[in-house]
Amino acid sequence: MQFPESWLRAFCNPSLTSQQLADTLTMAGLEVEELRPFAPAFTGVVVGQVLSAEQHPNADRLRVCLVDVGQGAPLNIVCGAPNARPGIKIPCATVGALLPPGEDGKPFAIKLGKLRGVESQGMLCSAKELRISEESNGLLELGVDAVIGRDIREQMGLDDMLFTLKLTPNLAHCLSVYGIAREVSALTDTPLLQPEFPKAFVQIQDRLSVSVQAPDLCGRFSGRIVRGVNTTTQTPAWMVERLARCGQRSISPLVDISNYVMFELGRPSHIFDLDKIHGGLQVRWGREGEQLKLLNGNTVAIDSSVGVIADDKEVESLAGIMGGDATAVSDDTTSIFIEAAFWWPKAIAGRSRRYNFSTDAGHRFERGVDPSTTVEHVERITQLVLDICGGQAGPLDDQMLVQPEGKPVTLRVARAAKVIGMPVTQEQCAGALRRLGLDVTEGEGTVTVAPPTFRFDLQIEEDLIEEVARIIGYEQLPTNPPLAPITAKLRAESRRGPFAVRRQLAQLGYQETINFSFVEERWERELAGNADPIKLLNPIASQMSVMRSSLLGSLMAVLKFNLDRKAQRVRLFELGRVFRKDPSVPDSDTTVAGFDQPMRVAGLCYGSVDALQWGSAERAVDFFDVKGDVQSLLAPLQATFKPDEHHAMHPGRCASVWLGERCIGHVGELHPKWRQTYDLAQAPVMFELALDAVLQRDLPVFQAVSRHQPVERDLAIVVKESVTHAAVMAAVRAGGGDLLRDAVLFDVYRPKKQVDAGSGGLAADEKSLAVRLTLSRDDATLTDDEIDASVKGALESLAQRVDARLRA
């Protein structure tokens, strides 16, 4: 919220400098985001009056003006402004004046000179040249009451400071100049000027029928008719100036009055063109199918969750948000209806954002506006209308339906001292709350407050403690060191940290990406097979409406983003949390009942295996390359890979990853269906693993090196093409006995054409595997009998389990 310091000091004028006042507000929780002067520094500019304006003899667009600046003899000044004419009062920069710096950063000095042969003894200024406005329609015309010869800074109050406050949602009572002044009065113990609301003289008896049909939308509705207003008059300069310094441009007298009272007292109001209202008004919830063209030109669709003000024919206003175009005041308006109401905050909250805009009115009403002052504020608006636009006021109608009931809140002094962190007395607590204008009742060690109607934020004991701390001053809090014991949280030796996983994946050539946990619902269906994802109640975007249960969708989106920008080789990984529904999860400090939130690590490879080089032929990454990366990531743990299926992966090129009896994830190539959907030139290979399993490490155990040499034996066996490597290795280990230390497949041979298997060759559906066995024992050298027995056991196990035979 922006406002000028001069307006604030009109209500409360503490003996503080502008910077001290800003510091006081900030330390009280009303953060001053910006403090800047209204006008830049300049000197030598005074109020002047144009006595005459004659055509320049040598230039069509210049005039030679005689200007009275209170120095006795008038000045001769050449001016090119289109509105230079006799009688107007304007800012005049005399010889020696320094105007605000230009683009070069240097002040502009006014010197005695000649323009087209005519001497000019100064310069007549526009608002833009003085840097007090970006608009320039010629000379800045001053009011008739401006004193000739007076310094323009003093005349226009240009030494004013502009405050910009960043208010938290609980400070709705500070969304006005008077509300801030009330806080300043409490903080500085300075008298507060209470505004007066004299009742308007009623000259007509006209009333407008208003029916409030939704008490849960509107708790109070006040209004009156004013006839015979002149909307073609000019808004007073003082009001235009104050609005401008609040960041609000002048529009028309009636709109300016409504905006002025909103900034002054914090109550948004609306002024209807009475002659455009059909019959009476109804305050109700909207109905399906209704539409309204707003003052901003947008046409919005109404439904039953939006409050409206309607007449007998159509909807005329969005309740508490914005008026409609159909009943807007204009230069032809002669009769008006002034409305001020109390709208329930819950009935206004979020409605304007539904239509992708926000308003000052909605911003205030959804935080809470005092319901007890609607009549006073209608009187204030009426007074300004009659003073500026004239007219005749009718009687004021006031309907009180349901008012918010403020429940008393009790503060325990001992509790306040504990929360604030410093000793406070009951006298301090009660005094601080009374300075805020609160109704205080003291008890034995307690202070009870009946919240006033303008304080919607005082609901629990902590709210009162905060008010006490604000008034006492946060700078008074002691700077005590923390007393909590510091206990180092040591990671078990059998685990490594997530950073080690990130570093290892980076060493393997992957780049980390960090994505939102909110994803598109389509990703969950297609890539995670999750038909019932966790949906967000208020998503930040339509394509981020659910919580992810897999990291693969995010990686695919990053891959597509890179490919669209002509990346040829992409290797990505992410460590992140996923979210799944799980009724077995209890509620605790680290968990939410019904939702499992495990950490995962996922990676994706696309393009060639290596960056472009001369040392090896270019080859696209395949399943086995990524499987090797997974094995490196899990080492020294030995993972087992089993053929499996995954919703996002190729049915024949996908494996589950097992550590012992636990499946920790999957690795595989993208499913052809999704590859076609994403329009990919080749299929990326990806993996996703449970992070807790990846972090596990076996503790190293000492084992003496055998003194005896191992023995190696090679077996060439023939098996069916359908027999897997895992089945062969399992059969070898099962039959090799205690002497078998290792078994490695080092060659695979397949026939090029069908031959007679009975003659020692291989059939078309067979393959030859060469397996090297390593045999050893720690206490003695192996004998030939032991070696032969171990090899024989392995061959017998191969024959029984996979129907293998020795190759001839």
Side-chain angles (χ1 to χ4, degrees), residues 128-172:
K128 188 173 184 180
E129 288 163 339
L130 297 179
R131 298 289 191 271
I132 60 177
S133 174
E134 291 300 320
E135 298 181 1
S136 177
N137 297 320
L139 300 178
L140 175 60
E141 298 187 27
L142 305 176
V144 294
D145 57 344
V147 180
I148 297 174
R150 187 181 187 186
D151 190 289
I152 199 67
R153 301 190 72 90
E154 183 182 352
Q155 177 67 43
M156 299 185 64
L158 298 184
D159 292 322
D160 204 358
M161 299 293 289
L162 299 184
F163 284 67
T164 301
L165 266 57
K166 186 178 181 181
L167 298 175
T168 52
N170 64 313
L171 296 175

Side-chain angles (χ1 to χ4, degrees), residues 499-703:
F499 182 76
V501 176
R502 290 185 170 93
R503 183 169 55 189
Q504 186 172 354
L505 283 168
Q507 290 171 346
L508 291 170
Y510 291 79
Q511 291 183 313
E512 184 175 12
T513 178
I514 301 174
N515 300 288
F516 281 109
S517 296
F518 317 134
V519 299
E520 192 172 346
E521 187 173 1
R522 179 176 61 88
W523 296 358
E524 284 295 294
R525 286 196 313 270
E526 295 178 354
L527 300 177
N530 185 6
D532 185 24
I534 301 171
K535 296 185 178 180
L536 299 175
L537 294 178
N538 187 23
I540 60 176
S542 59
Q543 70 274 18
M544 305 171 75
S545 59
V546 300
M547 304 294 288
R548 65 183 179 184
S549 63
S550 170
L551 303 180
L552 298 181
S554 300
L555 293 181
M556 285 299 301
V558 177
L559 170 66
K560 194 69 170 65
F561 181 87
N562 281 269
L563 294 181
D564 290 344
R565 284 150 185 80
K566 304 303 180 184
Q568 302 297 322
R569 182 174 180 270
V570 181
R571 299 172 78 88
L572 306 166
F573 81 91
E574 181 177 7
L575 267 74
R577 197 173 297 279
V578 298
F579 306 84
R580 304 174 303 187
K581 294 181 180 179
D582 186 350
S584 64
V585 176
D587 198 9
S588 70
D589 293 340
T590 57
T591 61
V592 178
F595 299 97
D596 188 21
Q597 306 175 58
M599 291 289 291
R600 296 278 186 85
V601 55
L604 179 148
C605 290
Y606 180 91
S608 58
V609 175
D610 301 310
L612 187 63
Q613 58 162 309
W614 60 270
S616 62
E618 186 175 2
R619 177 177 65 83
V621 67
D622 61 20
F623 170 87
F624 297 101
D625 295 314
V626 178
K627 176 188 173 186
D629 291 341
V630 172
Q631 289 176 316
S632 298
L633 186 62
L634 295 173
L637 300 178
Q638 296 292 325
T640 303
F641 296 84
K642 301 179 181 180
D644 204 345
E645 292 186 359
H646 188 281
H647 207 76
M649 298 180 184
H650 194 295
R653 299 173 188 174
C654 170
S656 55
V657 185
W658 294 74
L659 285 178
E661 299 300 321
R662 179 188 176 190
C663 176
I664 66 168
H666 289 81
V667 56
E669 191 178 285
L670 183 66
H671 197 290
K673 179 167 58 174
W674 309 134
R675 173 185 169 185
Q676 183 178 8
T677 300
Y678 284 92
D679 191 22
L680 302 176
Q682 72 179 69
V685 186
M686 57 188 70
F687 68 86
E688 184 173 19
L689 308 173
L691 183 61
D692 61 334
V694 177
L695 298 180
Q696 294 296 328
R697 282 293 174 270
D698 289 338
L699 291 177
V701 179
F702 170 76
Q703 185 176 2

Side-chain angles (χ1 to χ4, degrees), residues 49-54 65-66 83-89:
Q49 184 173 25
V50 179
L51 302 178
S52 66
E54 304 294 337
C65 302
L66 283 179
N83 63 332
R85 63 188 187 277
I88 63 171
K89 293 182 179 181

